[in-house]
Amino acid sequence: MTPLTAPAPAAVSTDDRLSTLTRIERRVLWLATSMVHHANRVRPNPSGLKVGGHQASSASIATIMTALWFEQLRPEDRVSVKPHASPVLHAINYLLGGLEDHHMTSLRQFGGVQSYPSRTKDPDVVDYSTGSVGIGATAPIWGAIARRYASSLSGESPRGRQYSLVGDAELDEGAVWEALLDPHVHDLGEIVWIVDLNRQSLDRVVPDIAAGKLERMFAAVGWQVITVAFGRRLEELFSREGGEALRSRILDMPNPEYQRLLRCPVDELRRRLPGAGPDAAAIRALLEGIDDADLRAAIRNLGGHDLEALRAAFARIDDTRPTVIIAYTIKGNGLPTEGHPQNHSSLLTRDQYAELAERLGEDPAAPWRRFAADTAEGVLCAQTAERLRRPEVPAAAAHPVPVDFGRTPAGTGTTQAALGRVLLDLTRSAPEVARRVVTASPDVSSSTNLAGWLNKVGVWSTDDRPDWFDDDGETIMHWRERPSGQHIELGIAEVNLVSLLGELGATWSRWGQPLYPIGVLYDPFVERALEPWSYGIYAGGQSILVGTPSGVSLAGEGGAHQSIKTPSIGLEQPGCTSYEPAFVQDVEWTLLAAMAQMGRPGGKSAYLRLSTKPVDQALAAIPSDPAARERRRRQVVAGGFRLRSADAPRVAIAAMGAMIPEACAAADRLEALGCAADVVCVTSPGLLFEALRARDGDGDGESWILEQLLPADRAVPLVTVLDGHPHALAFLAGVRGVPARHLGVSRFGQAGDLEDVYRYHGIDVDSIVRTALDLVD
């Protein structure tokens, strides 16, 4: 990148400073517009497919971002930029020396600057990955909690504001309001949202976006609300005779009507602006004293495009509670397309681009000019770059995760209950690792067996709070809230849960403090949370998601609460290793293995699918010999193991998770019928599929697990069975190219006892036996 040398600060008058900022703002607008223009109008496009970009959305927020970066930000601050303003972010970073010329021509190009801000893929500094509506907006909330949590480990005081730059249409996303309602949020004074109120969405001018309604909604959840409606030109007009009537007229008119005024010739603007109300004459008289150029400038002088108005708004921020700044803006401000209802994705024509260049004093043939170092703008850019320079993030300290606690479970147990026991065992066996574990759940801690863990480590809170039931003898789970607590309880909002996991899972790269975030929710709701969790993984967050209870084994809850597709999700999610353990011991091994791959470059997230079905742990037949035990552990974390090996197998049953008891029972019956059966316990379809691709030369993984799980000399017809969609294990037939049948759940279930529900879906013991016999006869 190009380093900027910052000269010593010199005394600058307020007017000179404002003029300098205005020239920088215009250059930012030009560069952002040019990046999109080059990608679509200049760069060769052999495929002919749309490249796209958002010139109007960028123009809407260019003033706000110029004011924020060049006057307000500190190195400890972090900013989430609305997705469609990525060209503005890159334009600013370019002026600050964070990008080279060739980056400016690579927007949306393979290997180039990304379509939307990306922490992991963009070449310049990006604080938060955005792009999916609502996720980027709320990310700094969870980032603030993660920062505070990480600081409790380092002993440092958390510093810096967490800004969200949000388009007003983005507030339609329900996850935004779910986040604002979370009880933790009102204590986070470092949160500052800036709403780009341009009153437009992708398709239209939104008729009912009213700042007053938004003000009341934010105020109702305890936020400080600062509205920046108008700039200094309009405010000066409002101070004249008839000015208050003009103010009311602009505030009261529908959004589409105001947008239409921006597209009018000046004589039509004079005719339309007064309206037909009782104050029309007073407004008309006021306008007669304003020349055409001033009138056109004034009607565009909204607060979000006025540097002085924005400066005053920033000065009012109260750092004791969250703040929202609602800034009135114009979509496409300063562009020939400004205010048009369909300008969201529209691109300037070459003639319009040339017109913009002439108005801004730029050269279309040389669009990537920086300011000369000896100009006031160049000096301010250098000073800003120096001011925002961040210290290098220290390398995350190594905290080796144990691989095996060395105990063998006995009796009957469930994989869901095993989760809490493993966490408690970790506090005894590796306390330095356990201290970095943080669990989170959306109001399901007790029903997912985390009570013992909560009693041990406490609940995280911004301050100490009394547990009023601590002396109640009937209270089993104690709710002790304190800043050192290691469980974060959210409301019933799964999107919030996984968004928080993403930020907790990024502290190793943001602050040099690795954490092991584990989120627990009912498995049927994984699908509800999947998109933001996937986006968190994309953004570099490494976490563990536990779905429990799962499948139709949750028989009494009925079809709506019986997850079907989640095994496939685990198989297909990038950046994630999925496990569905059958035994308590397998939960320990897979959870520890998942933790060991987190909190570091190249690390991965994990998804564990657990069950409430009691299973006889003797079925696991865990070897007592240390070497054989370690071999089993390695197989479990690699994707599976052979649980039973018949002398001369005629069929193999590959089962997963809760279906292992049925698979073993079916093998016993088949043995009695003279049809010997191997039983294969699958712990991770995803890892086995990666091994299969590696064997075929399509991946860089290892394939040894296939040789131990399904060796060539035991290739026999195969029955697969799982408490989920059958296609998740269907690929196993291709390991040896054997005949196969695949049992699982492919329709909505019903309430009932386990035997009836299994029979209904054809995954009971009878169905397995019948299918195996059909294959071998």
Side-chain angles (χ1 to χ4, degrees):
M1 305 306 172
T2 304
L4 297 182
T5 303
V12 180
S13 71
T14 300
D15 287 345
D16 287 345
R17 174 84 174 194
L18 190 64
S19 297
T20 300
L21 276 176
T22 299
R23 289 190 289 274
I24 290 175
E25 172 203 6
R26 289 159 65 92
R27 181 64 58 83
V28 167
L29 174 64
W30 168 253
L31 290 171
T33 305
S34 296
M35 289 182 74
V36 180
H37 181 79
H38 183 93
N40 288 273
R41 306 289 192 199
V42 180
R43 192 170 68 215
N45 183 9
S47 71
L49 295 176
K50 175 186 175 182
V51 176
H54 299 88
Q55 292 171 323
S57 293
S58 294
S60 176
I61 203 169
T63 312
I64 292 171
M65 291 181 65
T66 300
L68 184 60
W69 258 261
F70 287 88
E71 285 202 329
Q72 303 299 324
L73 288 185
R74 301 162 297 175
E76 60 267 27
D77 297 335
R78 297 293 183 268
V79 187
S80 176
V81 177
K82 72 172 189 174
H84 294 156
S86 66
V88 181
L89 175 62
H90 300 308
I92 290 174
N93 283 339
Y94 176 71
L95 291 178
L96 298 182
L99 289 174
E100 304 290 356
D101 287 5
H102 68 88
H103 291 124
M104 304 300 283
T105 61
S106 69
L107 178 68
R108 298 185 173 219
Q109 189 176 44
F110 184 79
V113 173
Q114 298 300 295
S115 308
Y116 309 116
S118 171
R119 282 192 72 223
T120 56
K121 296 185 181 297
D122 270 317
D124 50 339
V125 174
V126 174
D127 292 332
Y128 288 99
S129 295
T130 60
S132 187
V133 173
I135 293 176
T138 62
I141 289 177
W142 318 119
I145 293 176
R147 176 66 171 126
R148 291 193 180 206
Y149 194 96
S151 296
S152 71
L153 297 174
S154 67
E156 299 176 355
S157 175
R159 298 177 299 124
R161 288 175 178 165
Q162 297 273 350
Y163 290 92
S164 286
L165 307 182
V166 186
D168 51 6
E170 196 168 8
L171 297 179
D172 290 345
E173 170 55 55
V176 168
W177 301 101
E178 286 184 355
L180 298 190
L181 288 169
D182 189 88
H184 294 296
V185 174
H186 66 79
D187 291 327
L188 302 176
E190 61 266 48
I191 297 296
V192 178
W193 282 25
I194 305 172
V195 177
D196 174 12
L197 193 79
N198 60 41
R199 299 167 300 282
Q200 285 187 236
S201 62
L202 190 151
D203 292 326
R204 59 178 179 153
V205 178
V206 180
D208 297 321
I209 286 183
K213 179 172 66 175
L214 293 177
E215 289 168 0
R216 293 189 295 273
M217 292 172 73
F218 277 98
V221 291
W223 287 46
Q224 178 194 22
V225 179
I226 301 171
T227 300
V228 190
F230 305 114
R232 63 191 185 281
R233 286 177 180 268
L234 270 176
E235 290 291 355
E236 193 279 327
L237 281 184
F238 296 156
S239 69
R240 301 183 190 181
E241 184 175 354
E244 283 305 313
L246 178 60
R247 182 196 298 271
S248 297
R249 165 70 175 137
I250 293 176
L251 286 173
D252 293 342
M253 70 172 58
N255 293 328
E257 182 181 4
Y258 176 80
Q259 299 290 98
R260 184 65 184 90
L261 294 177
L262 302 174
R263 311 286 301 172
C264 292
V266 70
D267 56 340
E268 188 175 350
L269 173 61
R270 290 182 182 279
R271 179 178 63 81
R272 290 189 182 213
L273 182 54
D279 293 327
I283 296 173
R284 194 172 293 110
L286 172 63
L287 300 185
E288 288 175 356
I290 308 170
D291 66 31
D292 288 353
D294 284 345
L295 179 58
R296 288 181 58 84
I299 198 65
R300 289 161 170 77
N301 184 222
L302 299 185
H305 302 305
D306 191 285
L307 291 165
E308 287 183 302
L310 290 168
R311 181 185 292 163
F314 286 122
R316 292 175 55 197
I317 293 174
D318 173 9
D319 286 320
T320 66
R321 57 178 173 149
T323 296
V324 60
I325 297 173
I326 299 174
Y328 284 52
T329 61
I330 298 168
K331 196 158 189 174
N333 179 60
L335 302 182
T337 57
E338 66 180 358
H340 193 279
Q342 278 87 53
N343 68 7
H344 179 84
S345 298
S346 67
L347 301 169
L348 298 188
T349 65
R350 288 182 172 81
D351 288 344
Q352 289 174 325
Y353 182 67
E355 174 192 332
L356 177 68
E358 182 177 1
R359 186 172 66 79
L360 295 179
E362 300 288 350
D363 182 0
W368 316 121
R369 290 190 304 131
R370 288 189 175 91
F371 293 108
D374 59 352
T375 63
E377 297 78 22
V379 169
L380 182 54
C381 286
Q383 291 174 345
T384 301
E386 183 63 30
R387 187 187 77 244
L388 297 181
R389 196 178 310 280
R390 296 172 180 171
E392 187 174 343
V393 177
H399 298 278
V401 178
V403 298
D404 187 351
F405 295 142
R407 291 182 288 276
T408 302
T412 298
T414 73
T415 55
Q416 175 179 289
L419 173 66
R421 288 201 289 272
V422 172
L423 293 176
L424 288 173
D425 284 344
L426 190 65
T427 64
R428 293 184 284 266
S429 299
E432 72 286 353
V433 173
R435 181 63 187 92
R436 295 180 176 275
V437 171
V438 52
T439 57
S441 68
D443 199 35
V444 295
S445 300
S446 57
S447 56
T448 54
N449 289 91
L450 287 181
W453 165 255
L454 263 68
N455 290 342
K456 176 73 173 179
V457 302
V459 178
W460 182 85
S461 176
T462 54
D463 51 22
D464 286 291
R465 299 176 184 177
D467 178 8
W468 296 107
F469 289 87
D470 199 34
D471 58 350
D472 187 329
E474 297 182 7
T475 299
I476 298 175
M477 186 169 69
H478 293 280
W479 210 256
R480 300 185 179 100
E481 298 179 86
R482 52 183 183 262
S484 61
Q486 292 182 241
H487 176 78
I488 301 178
E489 187 83 358
L490 295 95
I492 305 174
E494 287 78 11
V495 170
N496 289 352
L497 171 79
V498 297
S499 298
L500 173 61
L501 290 182
E503 292 307 319
L504 290 168
T507 56
W508 66 273
S509 59
R510 289 193 191 279
W511 319 113
Q513 289 291 340
L515 298 175
Y516 303 106
I518 301 173
V520 183
L521 74 168
Y522 293 163
D523 197 63
F525 304 141
V526 166
E527 292 178 71
R528 183 185 300 176
L530 179 61
E531 194 261 349
W533 188 54
S534 178
Y535 211 86
I537 295 173
Y538 164 80
Q542 298 166 12
S543 62
I544 297 173
L545 188 64
V546 178
T548 183
S550 64
V552 300
S553 294
L554 189 63
E557 295 291 335
H561 281 72
Q562 297 171 352
S563 51
I564 296 172
K565 295 179 288 183
T566 48
S568 303
I569 289 172
L571 174 66
E572 297 166 6
Q573 174 61 47
C576 172
T577 301
S578 63
Y579 289 110
E580 186 165 344
F583 301 107
V584 169
Q585 184 64 69
D586 298 349
V587 175
E588 175 190 312
W589 287 338
T590 56
L591 182 64
L592 294 176
M595 292 174 59
Q597 64 180 5
M598 294 164 56
R600 56 181 174 81
K604 299 181 73 174
S605 293
Y607 162 49
L608 271 66
R609 189 174 188 254
L610 306 182
S611 173
T612 52
K613 178 181 174 181
V615 173
D616 180 3
Q617 299 303 300
L619 289 174
I622 298 171
S624 58
D625 179 83
R629 178 186 176 99
E630 172 60 13
R631 180 174 184 267
R632 167 69 70 84
R633 186 198 67 80
R634 293 181 69 241
Q635 291 173 334
V636 166
V637 301
F641 58 96
R642 256 186 306 129
L643 183 58
R644 294 189 181 184
S645 297
D647 289 338
R650 296 183 61 199
V651 68
I653 304 170
M656 185 165 69
M659 302 313 304
I660 282 294
E662 280 65 31
C664 291
D668 290 340
R669 285 175 51 181
L670 288 167
E671 179 75 25
L673 293 170
C675 181
D678 283 349
V679 177
V680 172
C681 179
V682 174
T683 56
S684 176
L687 290 177
L688 296 183
F689 187 71
E690 289 178 15
L692 179 59
R693 296 187 71 235
R695 189 196 69 178
D696 295 339
D698 294 327
D700 55 4
E702 297 180 355
S703 61
W704 63 266
I705 186 62
L706 299 179
E707 305 307 319
Q708 297 186 10
L709 196 67
L710 297 167
D713 60 359
R714 302 183 73 85
V716 291
L718 178 68
V719 177
T720 66
V721 57
L722 73 155
D723 186 357
H725 199 282
H727 107 278
L729 295 182
F731 71 92
L732 290 176
V735 174
R736 298 300 171 200
V738 297
R741 294 275 299 276
H742 308 291
L743 306 181
V745 181
S746 56
R747 53 181 170 170
F748 290 115
Q750 297 189 33
D753 61 39
L754 204 56
E755 185 177 351
D756 288 339
V757 171
Y758 278 7
R759 186 180 302 111
Y760 174 76
H761 289 287
I763 56 176
D764 58 314
V765 176
D766 284 352
S767 296
I768 298 172
V769 170
R770 185 169 53 250
T771 302
L773 293 175
D774 286 345
L775 272 174
V776 299
D777 285 348

